[in-house]
């Protein structure tokens, strides 16, 4: 079952290919990221052959942080801070970033990385659930979420929260794995995802299951058109989407108008 039919079962959510009680999904997701936090960045490089850096750069280019005025970014499900750091480097001296993530272990790695990069004064780490952000209405110039939204149990609620905390005229960007639509690449990607990635997880982190979840959760994420409709449903205007790397990843955008 995919798409709307799945959603007709109330109070359930996908956890990879398993259906679990909605209330249990967050705990299962938290276990995954607690387990991988220390090796998370290394695994991203290994799994994507470094491509995740180019995908995040595409997000930051679209964000286009100004050089000569203040700019406040909220990096939702920001984990170890990659998007925040890249935005700070691309923006001017008055750029600030807040990394909000539900997982203390991921945030701890992020704080260490910020200190090592000399960015500690420009970035704040906040332990928070994307479904109930602890920030006032209209408080950020932009909000972004990279590879995070598919982990959130109630995506529509999280999108509503992102909309709420954006200033009028603020931009929302969402980078997420998508569906490969290039003949040939799709088969190769499938084989790589289900065979190589869990094996890499076992070898590098000692945890194949977390990486199996990662692969399965990508397959369960809504298709691009469906996700664009969810963005419109949350209130965003001028919703757009472009694919990267043959559809492996999609960069969704919308504005609070
Ligand atoms: N954005 C980072 C990046 O691109 O490297 C991290 C992405 S990581 C794949 C997914 C992140 O989503 C994890 O750090 C996890 O803790 C976070 N997350 C999962 N559920 C969340 C929730 N309900 N609220 C906030 N963060 C959440």
């Amino acid at each position: 079952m995919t798409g709307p039919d799945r959603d007709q079962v109330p109070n359930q959510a996908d956890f990879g290919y398993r259906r679990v009680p909605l209330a249990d999904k967050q705990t299962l997701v938290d276990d995954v990221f607690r387990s991988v936090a220390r090796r998370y960045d290394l695994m991203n490089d290994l799994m994507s052959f470094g491509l995740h850096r180019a995908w995040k750069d595409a997000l930051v280019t679209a964000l286009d942080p100004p050089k000569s005025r203040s700019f406040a970014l909220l990096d939702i499900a920001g984990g170890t801070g990659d998007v925040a750091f890249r935005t700070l480097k691309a923006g001017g001296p008055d750029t600030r970033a807040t990394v909000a993530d539900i997982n203390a272990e991921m945030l701890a790695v992020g704080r260490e990385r910020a200190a090592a990069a000399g960015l500690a004064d420009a970035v704040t780490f906040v332990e928070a659930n994307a479904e109930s952000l602890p920030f006032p209405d209209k408080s950020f110039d932009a909000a972004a979420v990279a590879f995070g939204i598919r982990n959130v149990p109630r995506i529509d609620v999280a999108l509503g929260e992102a909309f709420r905390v954006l200033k009028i005229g603020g931009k929302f960007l969402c980078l997420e794995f998508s569906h490969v639509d290039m003949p040939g690449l799709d088969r190769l990607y499938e084989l790589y995802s289900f065979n190589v990635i869990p094996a890499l997880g076992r070898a590098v982190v000692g945890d194949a299951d977390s990486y199996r979840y990662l692969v399965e959760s990508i397959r369960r994420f809504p298709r691009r058109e469906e996700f664009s409709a969810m963005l419109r449903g949350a209130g965003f205007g001028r919703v757009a989407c472009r694919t990267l790397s043959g559809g492996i990843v999609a960069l969704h955008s919308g504005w609070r108008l």
Side-chain angles (χ1 to χ4, degrees):
M1 225 192 320
T2 56
D5 289 347
R6 302 181 67 77
D7 300 339
Q8 282 171 13
V9 183
N11 298 321
Q12 288 210 337
D14 288 321
F15 177 72
Y17 284 172
R18 283 164 58 198
R19 292 292 280 171
V20 298
L22 185 66
D24 294 354
K25 173 165 172 164
Q26 191 68 63
T27 309
L28 292 164
V29 166
D30 293 349
D31 289 345
V32 166
F33 290 101
R34 196 173 304 116
S35 160
V36 306
R38 287 280 147 198
R39 293 282 170 102
Y40 175 78
D41 295 297
L42 171 66
M43 272 299 285
N44 275 352
D45 275 333
L46 293 176
M47 282 187 303
S48 74
F49 305 100
L51 269 175
H52 75 104
R53 294 166 183 255
W55 297 330
K56 287 168 181 163
D57 283 344
L59 183 156
V60 173
T61 301
L63 211 49
D64 194 19
K67 293 278 183 201
S68 54
R69 61 181 165 80
S70 66
F71 183 76
L73 168 77
L74 176 63
D75 183 6
I76 300 168
T80 60
D82 246 7
V83 165
F85 303 156
R86 282 163 201 276
T87 304
L88 290 171
K89 284 176 187 158
D94 292 328
T95 303
R96 295 287 177 272
T98 302
V99 176
D101 197 285
I102 203 163
N103 197 300
E105 281 80 359
M106 293 289 279
L107 291 170
V109 175
R111 280 192 195 95
E112 289 167 19
R113 293 179 76 207
L119 293 171
D121 291 344
V123 58
T124 308
F125 292 87
V126 179
E127 195 175 322
N129 189 336
E131 293 182 4
S132 54
L133 293 170
F135 308 111
D137 295 357
K138 300 181 188 157
S139 45
F140 292 94
D141 296 295
V145 52
F147 307 116
I149 199 77
R150 73 175 188 287
N151 299 294
V152 175
R154 294 180 301 164
I155 293 176
D156 53 339
V157 175
L159 293 178
E161 278 293 89
F163 185 84
R164 179 185 66 76
V165 301
L166 268 181
K167 294 178 187 171
I168 306 292
K171 191 170 194 178
F172 176 70
L173 282 156
C174 177
L175 195 60
E176 190 49 89
F177 288 107
S178 189
H179 301 274
V180 174
D181 39 24
M182 207 182 261
L185 180 62
D186 50 359
R187 183 88 194 106
L188 201 67
Y189 180 59
E190 205 68 4
L191 284 171
Y192 176 74
S193 300
F194 283 96
N195 296 299
V196 180
I197 291 182
L200 254 179
R202 181 180 297 112
V204 177
V205 189
D207 178 357
D209 287 348
S210 289
Y211 284 90
R212 198 165 297 112
Y213 158 73
L214 175 116
V215 171
E216 292 177 358
S217 65
I218 292 168
R219 301 304 181 282
R220 283 287 178 260
F221 190 67
R223 307 216 43 114
R224 293 189 276 278
E225 312 71 43
E226 200 185 330
F227 188 65
S228 293
M230 292 175 83
L231 286 178
R232 285 187 207 97
F236 291 104
R238 286 168 55 197
V239 168
C241 170
R242 80 180 167 99
T243 55
L244 306 170
S245 304
I248 292 177
V249 163
L251 180 59
H252 295 267
S253 58
W255 295 80
R256 179 166 187 176
L257 299 173

